[in-house]
Amino acid sequence: MNLMINAKIVKIFYQMAEYFTMQDVAFKPQAYSRAARFIEPMEEDLEEVYKEGGLKALMEVEGIGQGLAEKIEEYIKTGKIEEYEKQKKECPVDLEALAGIEGLGPKMIKTLYEKLGIKTLKDLEKAAKTGKIHDLPRFGKKVEQNILRGIEFSKSGQGRFTLGMILPIARRFEQRLGELDSISQAIAAGSIRRMKETVGDIDILVISNNSSKVMDYFCSMAEVEKIIAKGETKSSVRLDLGLDADIRVVPKESFGAALQYFTGSKDHNISLRKIAQGKGLKLNEYGVFSAKGGSASGGKGKKQIAGKTEEEVYKALGLEYVPPELRENTGEIEAAFLRQRADQGKRDGLPRLIELEDIKGDLHCHSDWDGGENSISEMAQAAGNMSYQYIGISDHTKFLRIENGLDEKQIARRNKEIDKLNAKFKNFRILKGVEANILNDGTIDIEDETLASLDYVIAGIHSTFKMKKGEMTERMIRAMKNPHVDIISHPTGRLIGRRDEYQLDFEKILKVAKETGTVLEINSYPDRLDLNDRNIRRAKEAGVRMIINTDSHHRAQLGLMEYGVAQARRGWAEKKDIINTMGYEELIKFLKTHKK
Ligand code: DGT
Ligand code: CA
Ligand code: CA
């Protein structure tokens, strides 16, 4: 079994779409990228689907027709797709690298190759720096500048993967290793456990009494492309997906200390060690040791006083347990410390972080009315299955024609459908919303009367991202001052690894959000995670309320909520900071009264 088959198929399909676009082939690009979009959030492994039901079962997956199902079958059987290999070989340029630059599509890449012979990122950078690109038809100075910025941006994030891509893989590794007889526990530590938005490698920790067996197994897994190091308690491999995985075997009595150490962050650990020193203790990956005492486990002549569990380690240092998401050395240690002292009550201590179970519904969801993949009824069903009390349907509005944005009449018709569905439910509610567009001047693309007919309005920027800071800030402020606008979606507009935030005076935005009672979104989509952790913390400190939404275009994406909650936790958010922790009645009341 190959754990990463879904991720690999997704990658191949997106690239196929690009190859076909470059060659001006009709329809195929859409078919491939559409299928990739469906496979991306899937929980089932395509190989399992195939094993259980063959080609027919693959074709039942949304977005996959016979042709693509056959490609997946070929990949499962042979480990490659002939047509893809052929495209890759025949394509004269490094499409993968070039298409990774924000704003550079396959058609532009083709022009760059034909006119300037650009094949690689290096060629591209050189041409942009020497001003060769802006003379090409349909390029211009602005595009050239953007290309340069895109190159810088891609360099800064190099070698990192989104958590959304790696977490499911790490979890399946945990599960697979945990099932081995020789392993009693397996857990992914490092940045994955801290739920950082991007991840450099996978760090796995296991408890085992047969470490050589574990190492043999780990190094011979199907996904291993190369063994970097294989030792008795520690091995490192390069996975064929392009990232490394480390494994360490630790004894049971040190597991907590090892987990603490390898969860990091490094800066958090350095501060902890200083605290230990201050108390005359020694902290390392084997445990907490006192200078006195006789046992020889760990440091010479030192006695282990903690190490079996993480809680024990923190306690031995006089600290409250610090949740992994907070371990970035940004004040969490001081907060954990002070709570135990005489000034308790005067200081806040660690926040009581929001949990996934606190979430009662999702208000940023698209339906098939705006080209999403599921009907309102299907989305509601899926939300009900997650034990939510409500779902809000927030279809795109008319300015976004390419996304089938709805006009006022369509919104009215859609609302009628929601009324009909609601009449059937007992303990569940569908809320009527939209995700309207903030136009360049800060106005909204839908008439006030229609906005007033909705339960809530989300407004977001979906065009003209490259405005000057002052203008962009004014644009956003005007939208927040609109009494109908309840929520701002993905407030900073960044796409991880692809597009930087737009220029925005965030302090000003927070001030106006507070004044107007406007709610800022934490968008859970793993490529967005917008607000990010830093901004969430600033919003919380400014007393601005937030909402965690998924931006689902497919019912399976409702499950992405976990990533938004993790980001909120990294931003120190508590239940009271997040409005969709409210039950239905409370939320409706809130939505009617919060705008000032
Ligand atoms: P990544 O992989 O870049 O996303 O980030 P991490 O935090 O997973 O970093 P990684 O994989 O280099 O190391 C995993 C953990 O091991 C790290 O969070 C803390 C611990 N660690 C690694 N090297 C050191 C070190 O030199 N000193 C200390 N104190 N801890 C370290
Ligand atoms: Ca790591
Ligand atoms: Ca590592």
Side-chain angles (χ1 to χ4, degrees), residues 560-571:
L560 297 174
M561 184 60 78
E562 179 184 9
Y563 295 93
V565 171
Q567 189 76 185
R569 288 168 64 86
R570 289 179 57 83

Side-chain angles (χ1 to χ4, degrees), residues 13-14 16-17 20-21 25-39 62-65 67-69:
F13 277 15
Y14 275 130
M16 295 283 273
F20 287 128
T21 309
V25 177
F27 306 120
K28 278 192 179 180
Q30 289 83 347
Y32 273 101
S33 51
R34 185 162 175 270
R37 274 204 309 278
F38 279 119
I39 298 168
E62 284 172 277
I64 299 180
L68 297 189

Side-chain angles (χ1 to χ4, degrees), residues 390-592:
Y390 49 85
I391 187 171
I393 301 296
S394 57
D395 293 311
H396 285 297
T397 53
K398 63 187 178 189
F399 176 79
L400 274 192
R401 265 190 221 109
I402 48 161
E403 300 267 10
N404 301 306
L406 310 187
D407 63 19
E408 285 80 357
K409 280 188 186 143
Q410 290 168 309
I411 292 170
R413 284 211 304 278
R414 187 210 59 173
N415 288 351
K416 282 204 181 118
E417 183 183 326
I418 293 179
D419 286 335
K420 262 193 221 152
L421 288 166
N422 270 337
K424 290 195 234 160
F425 296 123
K426 262 213 208 100
N427 295 317
F428 187 83
R429 281 275 160 281
I430 305 171
L431 273 70
K432 296 168 195 152
V434 286
E435 185 189 21
N437 299 293
I438 303 175
L439 303 176
N440 289 0
D441 62 359
T443 58
I444 304 298
D445 66 335
I446 290 292
E447 302 286 345
D448 280 349
E449 200 183 325
T450 299
L451 295 180
S453 73
L454 298 163
D455 293 315
Y456 69 100
V457 172
I458 302 179
I461 288 180
H462 296 98
S463 60
T464 325
F465 301 116
K466 295 196 167 80
M467 270 188 173
K468 289 210 184 77
K469 192 169 181 172
E471 278 175 77
M472 194 55 131
T473 306
E474 280 312 308
R475 177 183 182 185
M476 191 70 103
I477 286 177
R478 185 160 179 202
M480 289 194 291
K481 286 190 169 163
N482 182 323
H484 297 295
V485 171
D486 299 286
I487 299 164
I488 301 292
S489 55
H490 37 72
T492 73
R494 65 127 174 212
L495 293 172
I496 296 175
R498 277 185 291 150
R499 187 171 79 206
D500 210 346
E501 299 179 352
Y502 20 79
Q503 303 279 313
L504 210 52
D505 183 341
F506 197 65
E507 279 312 311
K508 252 193 193 160
I509 297 297
L510 288 177
K511 194 166 154 266
V512 178
K514 173 80 182 160
E515 278 165 16
T516 57
T518 309
V519 176
L520 299 186
E521 179 180 77
I522 298 170
N523 189 296
S524 304
Y525 211 82
D527 294 359
R528 286 194 182 270
L529 293 173
D530 179 7
L531 303 175
N532 68 11
D533 46 6
R534 241 185 31 257
N535 287 335
I536 291 166
R537 201 161 160 192
R538 287 166 77 185
K540 176 195 153 112
E541 276 160 15
V544 171
R545 301 263 219 154
M546 293 168 275
I547 180 165
I548 309 176
N549 287 325
T550 59
D551 205 349
S552 289
H553 288 68
H554 183 305
R555 62 185 162 203
Q557 292 172 339
L558 289 169
L560 297 174
M561 184 60 78
E562 179 184 9
Y563 295 93
V565 171
Q567 189 76 185
R569 288 168 64 86
R570 289 179 57 83
W572 293 49
E574 303 184 83
K575 191 175 168 184
K576 64 175 164 46
D577 300 314
I578 307 294
I579 68 163
N580 53 328
T581 59
M582 294 182 199
Y584 173 73
E585 301 292 341
E586 196 189 347
L587 179 77
I588 283 292
K589 217 158 94 196
F590 172 85
L591 289 172
K592 283 190 179 133

Side-chain angles (χ1 to χ4, degrees), residues 160 190-191 194 199-201 203 261-266 269 273:
R160 297 191 73 79
S191 49
R194 303 199 311 281
V199 164
D201 69 353
D203 304 288
Y261 181 88
F262 292 111
T263 296
S265 67
K266 200 171 157 186
N269 289 357
R273 273 204 298 276

Side-chain angles (χ1 to χ4, degrees), residues 91-110:
C91 183
V93 306
D94 184 355
L95 188 64
E96 192 180 349
L98 293 176
I101 301 299
E102 162 70 9
L104 257 198
K107 293 239 162 97
M108 290 166 93
I109 292 169
K110 189 178 176 192

Side-chain angles (χ1 to χ4, degrees), residues 360-372:
K360 302 284 174 3
D362 191 338
L363 290 194
H364 189 164
C365 302
H366 298 267
S367 73
D368 58 2
W369 278 81
D370 76 359

